[in-house]
Amino acid sequence: MNGAEAVIACLELEGVETVFSYPGGAVLGLFEALSNSTQIKNVLTRTEQGATHAASGYARVRRTAGVCIATSGPGATNLVTGLATAYMDSIPLIAITGQVSTSMIGTDAFQEIDITGITRPIVKHSYLVTDVKTIPSVIREAFYLATTGRPGPVLIDLPKNVADAECRAQIPGKIDLPGYKPTFKGHKLKIQRAAKVLQNAKKPLIYAGGGVVSSGAEEVLQELAHRIDAPVAVTLMGKSAYPFRDGYFVGMLGMHGAPAANLAVSECDVLLAVGARFDDRVTSNVEKFAQGAEIIHIDVDPAEIGKNVEVDVPIVGDAGAILRDMLEVLEPAEHQAWRARIESLRPMHSDAYADLPGAPLHFRDVIRKLNRMTKGKAIMTTDVGQHQMVAAQFFNAGRRGGFVSSGGLGTMGYGLPAAVGAQLAAPDDTVVCITGDGSLQMTMNELATAKAHKLPIKIILSNNGNLGMVRQLQKFYKGGNYFGIDLEGNPDFSKIAEAYDMAYLCVARPEEIEPALQQALDNGRLTLVECLIDCEEMVYPMVLNGCGLDEMVMADKQ
Amino acid sequence: MKHVLNVLVQNRAGVLVRVAGLFSRRGYNINSLTVGVTENPEISCMTIVVEGDDRIIEQVTKQLHKIVEVLKIKDVTNDEYVGRELLMLRVLAEKEDRVEIMKMCEIFRIKIVDINRKSFIIEATGNHSKLNAIEEAFRPYGIQEMSRTGIIAMVRGDNKAARRD
């Protein structure tokens, strides 16, 4: 067995069933070994970036580490955006790159690049394998690191001669990482203190993030919310952290959050943050965020605690484990007045929530219909921009890990390849990709991957001929001096669909939404639904720079 | 405020870059960084002098802990510790100055390690301020060349926390 075969054998031992890859000269051995694997399905994407996003989508739906493979040099550099995306959103990913032979490293050989150097700030850990004997321990450690504690991407750089060398190493019995000991159980006294603070709260609010999803703490969070009678606001990454049908759900908070959620943050007296990191898109002006509230912060990464806001009760550990321990000590509470106040905020809808005459088709109506028709059971991936925020506002993620979006890095081009990964992870589920004309064109090449694997992804395209979110920013911050955002030269998307053998549907008026979506959801094929949206449509509410969450812009100035 | 951190790391390729990269990426102000082996060949000790308020130092420590090869971090700033730096300087030593320079070396209890027709190389160890004083004392004669290391530090007494067996 050579090094490459050892790598594939170790991947099999880790239970890997799918890898997303792009071959090249430095990974010929790996691909040969891969061709002999009966367990692992190889998915050839159309760029390495697509492979990382697909692996990320796969990881989020399957709740395991996603694996991608690329060759040295440009193959490796093309992974950078995908690794950074996964790093910012704490998605477990294993990236294996080919490298020139160890004797050639440092000589600027053909397709040589220092990929461990380039990616150092955007991976949880990385390896340059110089000794074939270490392969089994490296792969085991990589999966352990990627999936435990705060998950994240791990890169393994494998020089050609190491891949070709004879490997007789044993699979290590236990993992030896003396410097890596993620905390799982929360500190008992801290949990008691948090429980006491919650018990004394008059207006408690739970702020749930992606950590709830990656910890699998959805159910225990729901139990806790009911126990202490506290409404729950979620972040973009935590969209599926709380069941939307439950009366405690107040929606997404932040820059384009639901008014009820944003106002609840400003009014609460105790804020319980679970697996969330007080990102600037959530807090807006930190000084004004949850000003009067005592803050309890649960996070698996100690470095997140106290990083952006001062916290009264910090608890480090796994969200699920801590919430379960909390339930042991929490008495049931009732906050009728506070709940009533939240209910009174709900109807305070901005323009975005009402059907105003004017533009014939609003993208939010497409999402709302989609919501009703899929009953919240679909997996939704999104790209980045206005369509993403509309999707986040109006799509109810009813399925575990059912909302797959690039939150931290805001990577345009994430949606389609992530949908490819998501559909492969859940072949029987409906996967919809919400995208814009700018984002889609960044990774549109992955349509070929979807076609090759007969993936019935439903791509819902919001086409406004503009880079809409940048347009919105220019409207608010640059006095409407629109520049560099007109996507003139856009292709005829119906012909794109035809070229990839997709079903194509166009929606130009509100009454066309339902029949088009019905057809798309029923046809069992790769489908493009193009929605023609007015470029003047803005996403509201919007919290402007420097403002508090309670200072939302709710509609266009008339 | 300056903090002195003793950081024990696994002695592996790439650790130094990971630590240094962390400081630059997160915009922390590093004054000096010294790395060397410890009594255990598999473990190195980095002594990092970093500037910042308590909040920043807390972040630095937490972020350092996230590096997989980092085993232990001790902020020794508020402990009784011995901190030493090494200084070497080549000072101009004309005939008429030689005796005086040698006297000064005696006073400072430092060594002349090389003698040339026109200059001495002087070696000194000590804490930061002592070496600053030495530097200033020799400056009037003309310092031709100077090199200083960062600090290495060790807590005085029976430091239980430092035991690593």
Side-chain angles (χ1 to χ4, degrees), chain A residues 290-412:
Chain A
Q291 246 174 339
E294 272 190 273
I295 297 178
I296 303 164
H297 190 184
I298 299 173
D299 206 291
V300 75
D301 179 359
E304 283 306 335
I305 289 171
K307 186 180 84 176
N308 295 337
V309 298
E310 297 243 11
V311 173
D312 300 285
V313 188
I315 313 175
V316 177
D318 176 75
I322 291 169
L323 293 180
R324 266 187 295 278
D325 286 349
M326 257 189 191
L327 278 174
E328 301 278 313
V329 287
L330 274 175
E331 300 290 327
E334 265 187 61
H335 306 288
Q336 274 173 356
W338 172 232
R339 289 288 308 286
R341 169 72 183 147
I342 297 286
E343 289 311 311
S344 76
L345 295 174
R346 275 186 208 273
M348 210 189 96
H349 292 338
S350 76
D351 158 60
Y353 296 74
D355 273 316
L356 283 182
L361 178 69
H362 297 299
F363 196 58
R364 58 177 180 263
D365 293 330
V366 179
I367 303 288
R368 274 204 281 219
K369 273 272 159 50
L370 185 66
N371 225 0
R372 244 168 270 147
M373 294 167 76
T374 57
K375 302 182 176 67
K377 284 183 187 144
I379 297 166
M380 175 176 282
T381 73
T382 82
D383 262 301
V384 170
Q386 287 180 316
H387 68 272
Q388 177 192 30
M389 287 301 111
V390 173
Q393 288 175 336
F394 293 99
F395 180 69
N396 293 325
R399 187 192 183 284
R400 277 199 151 190
F403 189 76
V404 178
S405 189
S406 166
L409 195 67
T411 307
M412 287 174 74

Side-chain angles (χ1 to χ4, degrees), chain A residues 87 120-127 141 145 150 176-180 301-310, chain B residues 10 12-19 21 25-26 28 42 55 58-59 62-63 65-72:
Chain A
Y87 182 73
R120 196 159 284 131
I122 51 167
V123 294
K124 187 168 173 187
H125 195 55
S126 54
Y127 294 91
E141 285 174 20
L145 286 166
R150 180 178 185 173
D176 181 32
L177 289 169
Y180 178 76
D301 179 359
E304 283 306 335
I305 289 171
K307 186 180 84 176
N308 295 337
V309 298
E310 297 243 11
Chain B
Q10 282 178 293
R12 292 212 185 138
V15 183
L16 178 61
V17 195
R18 268 189 240 277
V19 171
R25 177 163 77 95
R26 300 219 177 243
Y28 304 137
E42 283 174 18
R55 235 187 107 220
E58 189 187 330
Q59 262 298 309
K62 284 172 167 178
Q63 295 292 351
H65 263 304
K66 285 170 74 171
I67 296 174
V68 170
E69 291 101 340
V70 169
L71 301 172
K72 195 170 228 171

